[in-house]
Coordinates of all heavy atoms in Angstrom, one line a residue:
M1 N -12.2 2.6 -12.3 CA -12.5 1.8 -11.1 C -11.5 0.7 -11.0 O -11.3 -0.1 -11.9 CB -13.9 1.2 -11.3 CG -14.3 0.2 -10.2 SD -15.1 1.0 -8.8 CE -15.1 -0.4 -7.6
I2 N -10.8 0.7 -9.9 CA -9.7 -0.3 -9.7 C -10.4 -1.5 -9.0 O -11.1 -1.4 -8.0 CB -8.6 0.3 -8.9 CG1 -7.9 1.4 -9.7 CG2 -7.6 -0.8 -8.5 CD1 -6.8 2.1 -9.0
P3 N -10.1 -2.7 -9.5 CA -10.7 -3.9 -8.9 C -10.2 -4.1 -7.4 O -9.1 -3.7 -7.1 CB -10.2 -5.1 -9.8 CG -9.2 -4.5 -10.6 CD -9.3 -3.1 -10.7
F4 N -11.1 -4.7 -6.7 CA -10.8 -4.9 -5.2 C -9.5 -5.8 -5.0 O -8.8 -5.6 -4.0 CB -12.0 -5.6 -4.6 CG -11.9 -5.7 -3.1 CD1 -11.9 -4.6 -2.3 CD2 -11.6 -7.0 -2.5 CE1 -11.8 -4.7 -0.9 CE2 -11.5 -7.1 -1.1 CZ -11.6 -6.0 -0.3
R5 N -9.3 -6.6 -6.0 CA -8.1 -7.5 -5.9 C -6.8 -6.7 -5.8 O -5.8 -7.2 -5.4 CB -8.0 -8.4 -7.1 CG -9.1 -9.4 -7.3 CD -9.0 -10.1 -8.6 NE -7.9 -11.0 -8.7 CZ -7.3 -11.3 -9.8 NH1 -7.7 -10.9 -11.0 NH2 -6.3 -12.2 -9.8
N6 N -6.8 -5.5 -6.3 CA -5.6 -4.6 -6.3 C -5.5 -3.8 -5.0 O -4.6 -3.0 -4.9 CB -5.7 -3.6 -7.5 CG -5.6 -4.3 -8.8 OD1 -6.0 -5.4 -9.0 ND2 -5.1 -3.6 -9.8
S7 N -6.4 -4.0 -4.1 CA -6.4 -3.1 -2.9 C -5.6 -3.7 -1.7 O -5.5 -4.9 -1.5 CB -7.8 -2.9 -2.4 OG -8.4 -4.1 -2.0
L8 N -5.0 -2.8 -1.0 CA -4.2 -3.2 0.1 C -4.6 -2.4 1.4 O -4.5 -1.2 1.4 CB -2.7 -2.9 -0.2 CG -1.7 -3.1 0.9 CD1 -1.5 -4.7 1.0 CD2 -0.3 -2.5 0.5
P9 N -5.2 -3.1 2.4 CA -5.6 -2.3 3.6 C -4.4 -1.7 4.3 O -3.4 -2.3 4.4 CB -6.2 -3.4 4.5 CG -6.5 -4.6 3.6 CD -5.4 -4.5 2.5
Y10 N -4.7 -0.5 4.8 CA -3.6 0.2 5.5 C -4.1 1.0 6.7 O -5.3 1.2 6.8 CB -2.8 1.1 4.6 CG -3.6 2.4 4.3 CD1 -3.2 3.6 5.0 CD2 -4.6 2.5 3.3 CE1 -3.9 4.8 4.7 CE2 -5.3 3.7 3.1 CZ -4.9 4.8 3.8 OH -5.6 6.0 3.5
D11 N -3.2 1.3 7.6 CA -3.5 2.2 8.7 C -2.5 3.2 8.8 O -1.3 3.0 8.5 CB -3.4 1.3 10.0 CG -4.7 0.5 10.3 OD1 -5.8 1.1 10.2 OD2 -4.5 -0.7 10.5
I12 N -2.9 4.4 9.3 CA -1.9 5.4 9.7 C -1.8 5.5 11.2 O -2.8 5.7 11.9 CB -2.3 6.8 9.0 CG1 -2.2 6.7 7.5 CG2 -1.5 7.9 9.6 CD1 -2.7 7.9 6.8
Q13 N -0.6 5.4 11.7 CA -0.4 5.5 13.1 C 0.7 6.6 13.3 O 1.8 6.4 12.8 CB 0.0 4.2 13.7 CG -1.1 3.2 13.7 CD -0.7 1.8 14.3 OE1 0.3 1.7 14.8 NE2 -1.6 0.9 14.1
M14 N 0.4 7.6 14.1 CA 1.3 8.7 14.3 C 1.7 9.2 12.9 O 0.7 9.6 12.1 CB 2.6 8.3 15.0 CG 2.4 7.6 16.3 SD 1.5 8.7 17.5 CE 2.9 9.8 17.9
N15 N 2.9 9.2 12.5 CA 3.3 9.8 11.1 C 3.7 8.7 10.2 O 4.5 8.9 9.3 CB 4.3 10.8 11.3 CG 4.4 11.7 10.0 OD1 3.4 12.0 9.4 ND2 5.6 12.1 9.6
D16 N 3.3 7.4 10.5 CA 3.7 6.3 9.7 C 2.5 5.6 9.1 O 1.4 5.6 9.6 CB 4.5 5.3 10.5 CG 5.9 5.9 10.9 OD1 6.6 6.4 10.1 OD2 6.2 5.7 12.1
V17 N 2.8 5.0 7.9 CA 1.8 4.2 7.2 C 2.1 2.7 7.3 O 3.2 2.3 7.0 CB 1.7 4.7 5.7 CG1 0.6 3.9 5.0 CG2 1.4 6.2 5.6
Y18 N 1.2 1.9 7.7 CA 1.4 0.5 7.9 C 0.4 -0.3 7.0 O -0.8 0.0 6.9 CB 1.1 0.1 9.3 CG 2.1 0.6 10.3 CD1 2.0 1.8 10.9 CD2 3.1 -0.3 10.7 CE1 2.9 2.3 11.8 CE2 4.1 0.2 11.7 CZ 3.9 1.4 12.2 OH 4.8 1.9 13.1
A19 N 1.0 -1.3 6.3 CA 0.1 -2.2 5.6 C -0.4 -3.2 6.7 O 0.4 -3.7 7.5 CB 0.9 -3.0 4.5
T20 N -1.7 -3.6 6.6 CA -2.2 -4.5 7.6 C -1.5 -5.8 7.5 O -1.1 -6.5 8.5 CB -3.7 -4.7 7.4 OG1 -4.3 -3.4 7.4 CG2 -4.3 -5.6 8.4
E21 N -1.2 -6.2 6.2 CA -0.5 -7.5 6.0 C 0.2 -7.3 4.6 O -0.3 -6.9 3.7 CB -1.5 -8.6 5.9 CG -0.8 -10.0 5.7 CD -1.8 -11.1 5.7 OE1 -2.9 -11.0 6.2 OE2 -1.4 -12.2 5.2
C22 N 1.5 -7.8 4.6 CA 2.2 -7.8 3.3 C 1.6 -8.8 2.4 O 1.4 -10.0 2.7 CB 3.7 -8.1 3.5 SG 4.6 -8.3 2.0
P23 N 1.2 -8.4 1.2 CA 0.6 -9.4 0.2 C 1.6 -10.4 -0.4 O 1.1 -11.3 -1.0 CB 0.0 -8.5 -0.9 CG 0.8 -7.2 -0.8 CD 1.3 -7.1 0.6
F24 N 2.8 -10.1 -0.2 CA 3.8 -11.0 -0.8 C 4.4 -12.0 0.2 O 4.5 -13.2 -0.2 CB 5.0 -10.1 -1.3 CG 4.6 -9.1 -2.2 CD1 4.6 -7.7 -1.8 CD2 4.1 -9.4 -3.5 CE1 4.2 -6.7 -2.7 CE2 3.7 -8.4 -4.4 CZ 3.7 -7.1 -4.0
C25 N 4.7 -11.7 1.4 CA 5.3 -12.6 2.3 C 4.4 -12.9 3.5 O 4.7 -13.8 4.3 CB 6.6 -12.2 2.8 SG 6.6 -10.8 3.9
G26 N 3.3 -12.1 3.7 CA 2.3 -12.4 4.7 C 2.6 -11.8 6.1 O 1.9 -12.0 7.0
Q27 N 3.7 -11.0 6.2 CA 4.1 -10.4 7.4 C 3.0 -9.4 7.8 O 2.5 -8.6 7.0 CB 5.4 -9.7 7.4 CG 5.8 -9.0 8.7 CD 7.3 -8.6 8.7 OE1 8.1 -9.3 8.2 NE2 7.5 -7.4 9.3
A28 N 2.6 -9.4 9.1 CA 1.6 -8.5 9.6 C 2.2 -7.1 10.0 O 3.3 -7.1 10.4 CB 0.9 -9.1 10.8
H29 N 1.4 -6.1 9.8 CA 1.7 -4.8 10.3 C 3.1 -4.3 9.8 O 4.0 -4.1 10.6 CB 1.6 -4.8 11.8 CG 1.4 -3.4 12.4 ND1 0.3 -2.7 12.1 CD2 2.1 -2.7 13.3 CE1 0.4 -1.5 12.8 NE2 1.5 -1.5 13.5
V30 N 3.2 -4.1 8.5 CA 4.4 -3.7 7.9 C 4.5 -2.2 7.7 O 3.6 -1.6 7.1 CB 4.6 -4.4 6.5 CG1 5.9 -4.0 5.9 CG2 4.5 -5.9 6.7
R31 N 5.5 -1.6 8.3 CA 5.6 -0.1 8.1 C 6.2 0.2 6.7 O 7.2 -0.3 6.4 CB 6.6 0.5 9.2 CG 6.6 2.0 9.1 CD 7.1 2.6 10.4 NE 8.5 2.3 10.7 CZ 9.5 3.1 10.5 NH1 9.3 4.3 9.9 NH2 10.7 2.7 10.8
L32 N 5.4 1.0 6.0 CA 5.8 1.2 4.6 C 6.6 2.5 4.5 O 6.5 3.4 5.3 CB 4.5 1.4 3.7 CG 3.6 0.2 3.7 CD1 2.3 0.6 2.9 CD2 4.3 -1.0 3.0
P33 N 7.5 2.5 3.5 CA 8.3 3.8 3.3 C 7.5 4.8 2.6 O 7.7 5.2 1.5 CB 9.5 3.3 2.4 CG 8.9 2.1 1.6 CD 7.9 1.5 2.6
L34 N 6.5 5.3 3.3 CA 5.4 6.2 2.8 C 4.9 7.0 3.9 O 4.8 6.6 5.0 CB 4.3 5.3 2.2 CG 3.2 5.8 1.4 CD1 3.8 6.3 0.0 CD2 2.2 4.8 1.1
K35 N 4.7 8.3 3.6 CA 4.2 9.2 4.6 C 2.7 9.5 4.4 O 2.2 9.4 3.3 CB 5.0 10.5 4.6 CG 6.4 10.4 5.1 CD 6.4 9.9 6.5 CE 7.9 9.6 7.0 NZ 7.9 8.9 8.3
P36 N 2.0 9.8 5.5 CA 0.6 10.1 5.3 C 0.3 11.2 4.2 O -0.7 11.1 3.5 CB 0.1 10.6 6.7 CG 1.1 9.9 7.6 CD 2.4 9.8 6.9
G37 N 1.2 12.1 4.1 CA 1.0 13.2 3.1 C 1.1 12.6 1.7 O 0.4 13.1 0.8
E38 N 1.9 11.5 1.5 CA 2.0 10.9 0.2 C 0.7 10.1 -0.1 O 0.3 10.0 -1.3 CB 3.3 10.0 0.2 CG 4.5 10.9 0.2 CD 5.8 10.1 0.4 OE1 5.8 9.2 1.2 OE2 6.7 10.4 -0.3
V39 N 0.2 9.5 0.9 CA -1.1 8.8 0.8 C -2.2 9.8 0.3 O -3.0 9.5 -0.6 CB -1.6 8.1 2.0 CG1 -2.9 7.4 1.9 CG2 -0.6 7.0 2.4
A40 N -2.2 10.9 0.9 CA -3.1 12.0 0.5 C -2.9 12.4 -0.9 O -3.9 12.6 -1.7 CB -3.0 13.2 1.4
E41 N -1.7 12.4 -1.4 CA -1.4 12.8 -2.8 C -1.9 11.7 -3.8 O -2.3 12.0 -4.9 CB 0.1 13.0 -3.0 CG 0.5 14.3 -2.4 CD 2.0 14.5 -2.6 OE1 2.7 13.6 -3.1 OE2 2.5 15.6 -2.2
L42 N -1.9 10.4 -3.3 CA -2.4 9.3 -4.1 C -3.9 9.4 -4.3 O -4.4 8.9 -5.3 CB -2.0 8.0 -3.5 CG -0.6 7.5 -3.6 CD1 -0.3 6.4 -2.6 CD2 -0.3 7.0 -5.0
R43 N -4.5 9.9 -3.3 CA -6.0 9.9 -3.3 C -6.5 10.6 -4.5 O -6.1 11.8 -4.8 CB -6.6 10.4 -2.0 CG -6.3 9.5 -0.9 CD -6.9 10.0 0.4 NE -8.3 9.9 0.5 CZ -9.0 9.8 1.6 NH1 -8.4 9.8 2.8 NH2 -10.3 9.7 1.6
G44 N -7.4 10.0 -5.3 CA -7.9 10.6 -6.5 C -7.1 10.2 -7.7 O -7.5 10.4 -8.8
G45 N -6.0 9.5 -7.5 CA -5.3 8.9 -8.6 C -4.5 9.9 -9.4 O -4.0 9.6 -10.5
S46 N -4.2 11.1 -8.9 CA -3.5 12.1 -9.7 C -2.0 11.9 -9.6 O -1.2 12.3 -10.5 CB -3.9 13.5 -9.3 OG -3.6 13.7 -7.9
R47 N -1.5 11.2 -8.6 CA -0.1 10.9 -8.4 C 0.1 9.4 -8.3 O -0.8 8.7 -7.8 CB 0.4 11.6 -7.1 CG 0.4 13.1 -7.2 CD 1.6 13.6 -8.1 NE 2.9 13.4 -7.5 CZ 3.4 14.2 -6.6 NH1 2.8 15.3 -6.2 NH2 4.6 13.9 -6.1
K48 N 1.2 8.9 -8.7 CA 1.6 7.5 -8.5 C 2.8 7.5 -7.6 O 3.6 8.4 -7.5 CB 1.8 6.8 -9.8 CG 0.6 6.8 -10.7 CD 0.8 6.1 -12.0 CE -0.4 6.2 -12.8 NZ -0.3 5.5 -14.1
R49 N 3.0 6.3 -6.9 CA 4.1 6.2 -6.0 C 4.5 4.8 -5.9 O 3.7 3.9 -5.7 CB 3.7 6.8 -4.7 CG 4.7 6.7 -3.6 CD 5.7 7.9 -3.7 NE 6.4 8.2 -2.5 CZ 7.3 7.4 -2.0 NH1 7.6 6.2 -2.6 NH2 7.9 7.7 -0.9
A50 N 5.8 4.5 -6.1 CA 6.3 3.1 -5.9 C 6.8 3.0 -4.5 O 7.4 3.9 -4.0 CB 7.4 2.8 -6.9
V51 N 6.5 1.8 -3.9 CA 7.0 1.5 -2.6 C 7.7 0.2 -2.6 O 7.3 -0.7 -3.4 CB 5.9 1.5 -1.5 CG1 5.3 2.9 -1.3 CG2 4.9 0.5 -1.7
V52 N 8.7 0.0 -1.8 CA 9.4 -1.3 -1.6 C 9.1 -1.7 -0.2 O 9.3 -1.0 0.8 CB 10.9 -1.1 -1.9 CG1 11.6 -2.5 -1.6 CG2 11.2 -0.7 -3.3
F53 N 8.5 -2.9 -0.1 CA 8.2 -3.5 1.2 C 9.5 -3.8 1.9 O 10.4 -4.5 1.4 CB 7.3 -4.7 1.1 CG 5.9 -4.4 0.8 CD1 5.5 -3.9 -0.4 CD2 5.0 -4.6 1.8 CE1 4.2 -3.6 -0.7 CE2 3.6 -4.3 1.6 CZ 3.2 -3.8 0.3
P54 N 9.6 -3.3 3.2 CA 10.9 -3.6 3.9 C 11.0 -5.1 4.3 O 12.2 -5.5 4.5 CB 10.8 -2.7 5.1 CG 9.3 -2.5 5.3 CD 8.7 -2.5 3.9
C55 N 9.9 -5.8 4.4 CA 10.0 -7.2 4.9 C 10.6 -8.1 3.8 O 11.4 -9.0 4.1 CB 8.6 -7.6 5.3 SG 7.3 -7.2 4.1
C56 N 10.2 -8.0 2.6 CA 10.7 -8.9 1.5 C 11.2 -8.2 0.3 O 11.5 -8.9 -0.7 CB 9.5 -9.9 1.2 SG 8.0 -9.0 0.7
H57 N 11.3 -6.9 0.3 CA 11.8 -6.1 -0.7 C 11.1 -6.2 -2.0 O 11.6 -6.0 -3.1 CB 13.3 -6.4 -1.0 CG 14.1 -6.3 0.3 ND1 14.4 -5.1 0.9 CD2 14.6 -7.2 1.1 CE1 15.1 -5.3 2.0 NE2 15.2 -6.6 2.2
E58 N 9.8 -6.6 -2.0 CA 8.9 -6.6 -3.1 C 8.6 -5.1 -3.4 O 8.3 -4.3 -2.5 CB 7.7 -7.4 -2.9 CG 7.9 -8.9 -2.9 CD 8.0 -9.5 -4.4 OE1 7.8 -8.7 -5.3 OE2 8.3 -10.7 -4.5
R59 N 8.5 -4.8 -4.7 CA 8.2 -3.5 -5.1 C 6.7 -3.4 -5.7 O 6.3 -4.3 -6.4 CB 9.1 -3.1 -6.3 CG 8.9 -1.7 -6.8 CD 9.9 -1.5 -8.0 NE 9.6 -0.3 -8.8 CZ 10.1 0.9 -8.6 NH1 11.0 1.0 -7.6 NH2 9.8 1.9 -9.3
L60 N 6.0 -2.4 -5.3 CA 4.6 -2.2 -5.7 C 4.4 -0.8 -6.2 O 4.8 0.2 -5.5 CB 3.8 -2.5 -4.5 CG 2.3 -2.8 -4.7 CD1 2.1 -4.0 -5.6 CD2 1.6 -3.0 -3.4
Q61 N 3.7 -0.7 -7.3 CA 3.4 0.6 -7.8 C 2.0 1.0 -7.3 O 1.0 0.3 -7.6 CB 3.4 0.6 -9.3 CG 3.0 1.9 -10.0 CD 4.1 2.9 -9.9 OE1 5.3 2.6 -9.8 NE2 3.8 4.2 -9.9
L62 N 1.9 2.0 -6.5 CA 0.6 2.5 -6.0 C 0.0 3.6 -7.0 O 0.8 4.5 -7.4 CB 0.7 3.1 -4.6 CG 1.3 2.1 -3.6 CD1 1.5 2.8 -2.3 CD2 0.4 0.9 -3.4
V63 N -1.2 3.4 -7.3 CA -1.8 4.3 -8.3 C -3.0 5.1 -7.7 O -3.5 6.1 -8.3 CB -2.3 3.6 -9.5 CG1 -1.1 3.0 -10.2 CG2 -3.3 2.5 -9.2
D64 N -3.5 4.7 -6.5 CA -4.6 5.4 -5.9 C -4.8 5.0 -4.5 O -4.1 4.1 -4.0 CB -5.9 5.1 -6.7 CG -7.0 6.1 -6.5 OD1 -6.9 7.0 -5.7 OD2 -8.0 6.0 -7.2
A65 N -5.6 5.7 -3.7 CA -5.8 5.4 -2.3 C -7.2 5.9 -1.9 O -7.7 6.9 -2.5 CB -4.8 6.0 -1.5
D66 N -7.8 5.2 -0.9 CA -8.9 5.9 -0.3 C -8.7 5.8 1.2 O -7.6 5.6 1.7 CB -10.3 5.2 -0.7 CG -10.4 3.7 -0.3 OD1 -9.6 3.3 0.6 OD2 -11.3 3.1 -0.9
A67 N -9.7 6.0 2.0 CA -9.5 6.1 3.5 C -9.0 4.8 4.1 O -8.4 4.8 5.2 CB -10.8 6.5 4.1
D68 N -9.3 3.6 3.4 CA -8.9 2.3 4.0 C -7.9 1.5 3.2 O -7.3 0.6 3.7 CB -10.2 1.5 4.1 CG -11.3 2.2 5.0 OD1 -10.9 2.5 6.1 OD2 -12.4 2.4 4.5
Y69 N -7.8 1.8 1.9 CA -7.0 1.0 1.0 C -6.0 1.8 0.2 O -6.4 2.9 -0.3 CB -7.9 0.2 0.1 CG -8.8 -0.8 0.8 CD1 -10.2 -0.4 1.0 CD2 -8.4 -2.0 1.2 CE1 -11.0 -1.3 1.7 CE2 -9.2 -2.9 1.8 CZ -10.5 -2.5 2.0 OH -11.4 -3.4 2.7
L70 N -4.9 1.2 0.0 CA -4.0 1.6 -1.1 C -4.3 0.8 -2.3 O -4.6 -0.4 -2.2 CB -2.5 1.4 -0.7 CG -2.1 2.2 0.6 CD1 -0.7 1.7 1.1 CD2 -2.1 3.7 0.4
L71 N -4.2 1.4 -3.5 CA -4.6 0.6 -4.7 C -3.3 0.5 -5.6 O -2.7 1.5 -5.9 CB -5.7 1.3 -5.4 CG -7.0 1.4 -4.6 CD1 -8.0 2.3 -5.3 CD2 -7.6 0.0 -4.3
A72 N -3.0 -0.8 -6.0 CA -1.9 -1.1 -6.8 C -2.3 -1.2 -8.2 O -3.4 -1.3 -8.6 CB -1.2 -2.3 -6.2
D73 N -1.2 -1.2 -9.1 CA -1.5 -1.3 -10.5 C -1.6 -2.8 -11.0 O -1.7 -3.0 -12.1 CB -0.4 -0.6 -11.3 CG 1.0 -1.2 -11.2 OD1 1.1 -2.1 -10.3 OD2 1.9 -0.9 -11.9
R74 N -1.6 -3.7 -10.0 CA -1.8 -5.1 -10.4 C -2.4 -5.9 -9.2 O -2.4 -5.4 -8.1 CB -0.4 -5.7 -10.7 CG 0.6 -5.7 -9.5 CD 2.0 -6.2 -9.9 NE 3.0 -5.8 -9.0 CZ 3.6 -6.8 -8.2 NH1 3.3 -8.0 -8.3 NH2 4.6 -6.4 -7.4
P75 N -3.0 -7.0 -9.5 CA -3.7 -7.8 -8.5 C -2.8 -8.3 -7.4 O -1.6 -8.6 -7.7 CB -4.3 -9.0 -9.2 CG -4.3 -8.5 -10.7 CD -3.2 -7.6 -10.8
L76 N -3.3 -8.2 -6.2 CA -2.5 -8.7 -5.0 C -3.2 -10.0 -4.5 O -4.1 -9.9 -3.7 CB -2.5 -7.6 -3.9 CG -1.9 -6.3 -4.4 CD1 -2.2 -5.3 -3.3 CD2 -0.4 -6.4 -4.7
D77 N -2.8 -11.1 -5.1 CA -3.5 -12.3 -4.8 C -2.8 -12.9 -3.5 O -1.7 -13.3 -3.5 CB -3.4 -13.3 -5.9 CG -4.3 -12.9 -7.1 OD1 -5.4 -12.4 -6.8 OD2 -3.9 -13.0 -8.2
R78 N -3.6 -12.8 -2.5 CA -3.1 -13.3 -1.2 C -3.3 -14.8 -1.1 O -4.2 -15.4 -1.7 CB -3.9 -12.7 0.0 CG -3.7 -11.2 0.0 CD -4.8 -10.5 0.9 NE -4.6 -9.1 0.9 CZ -5.1 -8.3 -0.1 NH1 -5.8 -8.8 -1.1 NH2 -4.9 -7.0 0.0
K79 N -2.3 -15.4 -0.4 CA -2.3 -16.9 -0.3 C -3.4 -17.3 0.7 O -3.6 -16.6 1.7 CB -0.9 -17.4 0.1 CG 0.1 -17.0 -0.9 CD 1.5 -17.6 -0.5 CE 2.6 -17.2 -1.5 NZ 3.0 -15.8 -1.2
Ligands
LIG101 ZN1 6.7 -8.8 2.7

């Protein structure tokens, strides 16, 4: 069970994955270098995927996903 602090809300629009808000710099609606098919592979935690946020170049290791959240390997403490 991954703690809620590690979760990042996301949306899929067309063929792109957007973070609702960047946990590092606060930018809203950030398009992630991630495809919906890769989110599907994350679900269940069998695959891991690193993403670099285009807004501030912070790197995040994703370890799981569900229908609403991407789950990171560390807490995302929002300001
Ligand atoms: Zn950012």
Side-chain angles (χ1 to χ4, degrees):
M1 173 91 188
I2 293 178
F4 185 72
R5 296 170 71 203
N6 292 29
S7 67
L8 178 71
Y10 77 99
D11 279 308
I12 292 176
Q13 294 179 6
M14 304 299 286
N15 199 37
D16 290 315
V17 180
Y18 290 85
T20 305
E21 183 180 341
C22 175
F24 305 109
C25 73
Q27 181 168 320
H29 202 60
V30 178
R31 184 158 66 102
L32 299 175
L34 191 66
K35 291 298 175 191
E38 294 172 313
V39 175
E41 288 180 353
L42 282 165
R43 292 179 75 155
S46 55
R47 293 284 292 273
K48 297 180 182 180
R49 180 77 161 72
V51 296
V52 176
F53 280 73
C55 44
C56 55
H57 306 289
E58 286 279 354
R59 181 185 167 92
L60 194 60
Q61 180 74 29
L62 301 175
V63 296
D64 201 350
D66 65 17
D68 300 306
Y69 296 98
L70 301 169
L71 298 171
D73 66 347
R74 59 186 166 110
L76 302 170
D77 288 321
R78 296 165 183 84
K79 298 183 185 76

